[in-house]
Amino acid sequence: DTGVSQNPRHKITKRGQNVTFRCDPISEHNRLYWYRQTLGQGPEFLTYFQNEAQLEKSRLLSDRFSAERPKGSFSTLEIQRTEQGDSAMYLCASSPGGGISNQPQHFGDGTRLSIL
Amino acid sequence: AQSVTQLGSHVSVSEGALVLLRCNYSSSVPPYLFWYVQYPNQGLQLLLKYTTGATLVKGINGFEAEFKKSETSFHLTKPSAHMSDAAEYFCAVSDRSGGSNYKLTFGKGTLLTVNP
């Protein structure tokens, strides 16, 4: 079990630029989640994949955000035309799928995004 | 909709003292319940979970929590605090029916400080 891996760990960019984050889940975990955590708050759900299918998106995920999980393996989260309010820690988590319904999610160390 | 309330955004204890972190949830059906710990600039690590069965669950690092349905609570305790326990703690719930894709709803977190 190599854990959930996220890259980069830190990203600093100017307002208006596009950024992309990558998440490599634990191998054979079918479920993959993205969360956003702002300072002093708990993580908030953004989107969910089961294998390669994106099955749920939060209202927090504006049309500037897009996420993919090609071939049901790694996932990417892209933010276009970044805004100051996008500054946050972006967390990825994965868990087994299938008939296993109560397995906990395993989190990566996150990507901290800072918008100048 | 589910919600989680963590009473006390900051708890300070002395080394060796009892740790009590409070969590109450709001849900039409008792959900799955989790406690996660987050160290600075890291992701979330699972401490323990309650899914079914015994209402007193034991986790890692000497922590335990008790599910009380009548009080809609899942408070986290540790008999004797250690300096290494200083971190932020998050209570989280997920819908056990699977209708919400098992996404987690988090409380705002409690920062635990341990004084020597």
Side-chain angles (χ1 to χ4, degrees):
Chain A
D1 183 349
T2 57
V4 177
S5 177
Q6 290 189 247
N7 288 288
R9 290 294 314 278
H10 303 276
K11 179 70 177 178
I12 301 173
T13 192
K14 293 181 179 180
R15 182 166 54 93
Q17 298 295 304
N18 299 342
V19 294
T20 300
F21 312 139
R22 177 178 171 127
C23 170
D24 288 272
I26 294 171
S27 59
E28 300 181 356
H29 275 192
N30 296 332
R31 298 188 179 128
L32 187 146
Y33 303 80
W34 284 97
Y35 294 85
R36 182 173 69 184
Q37 184 179 20
T38 54
L39 201 60
Q41 301 294 319
E44 295 174 290
F45 170 77
L46 290 179
T47 190
Y48 163 68
F49 289 85
Q50 183 163 314
N51 298 311
E52 67 277 7
Q54 187 176 21
L55 298 185
E56 186 173 353
K57 293 193 290 185
S58 162
R59 287 176 296 175
L60 293 175
L61 216 64
S62 75
D63 56 5
R64 296 185 297 106
F65 288 71
S66 63
E68 296 181 340
R69 193 183 181 195
K71 302 178 182 179
S73 56
F74 71 92
S75 176
T76 59
L77 177 67
E78 181 183 14
I79 309 174
Q80 296 182 325
R81 306 181 302 282
T82 52
E83 301 174 354
Q84 289 285 349
D86 296 331
S87 294
M89 173 82 89
Y90 290 84
L91 294 163
C92 176
S94 69
S95 68
I100 305 171
S101 61
N102 60 3
Q103 292 301 308
Q105 294 174 27
H106 298 258
F107 283 80
D109 283 339
T111 294
R112 181 168 296 282
L113 174 65
S114 298
I115 307 297
L116 300 179
Chain B
Q2 298 175 320
S3 66
V4 178
T5 301
Q6 291 184 239
L7 293 176
S9 59
H10 186 195
V11 170
S12 182
V13 300
S14 298
E15 191 173 19
L18 171 71
V19 175
L20 171 60
L21 305 182
R22 300 177 187 274
C23 172
N24 288 86
Y25 67 89
S26 174
S27 177
S28 57
V29 175
Y32 293 135
L33 296 153
F34 306 86
W35 275 99
Y36 283 87
V37 61
Q38 186 177 36
Y39 298 98
N41 296 314
Q42 292 187 21
L44 283 75
Q45 180 183 5
L46 180 71
L47 280 177
L48 49 79
K49 65 176 182 178
Y50 172 76
T51 56
T52 188
T55 56
L56 180 64
V57 294
K58 296 186 183 299
I60 63 172
N61 301 339
F63 284 93
E64 61 182 35
E66 186 172 11
F67 167 59
K68 292 187 176 181
K69 182 178 177 180
S70 61
E71 299 178 7
T72 61
S73 68
F74 191 56
H75 301 331
L76 181 71
T77 60
K78 182 174 181 178
S80 177
H82 191 273
M83 296 295 290
S84 61
D85 295 327
E88 186 137 30
Y89 292 79
F90 292 95
C91 180
V93 302
S94 72
D95 185 347
R96 65 174 60 234
S97 73
S100 64
N101 294 316
Y102 304 111
K103 64 178 180 284
L104 294 170
T105 299
F106 287 88
K108 291 187 175 182
T110 298
L111 180 65
L112 176 66
T113 301
V114 182
N115 304 307

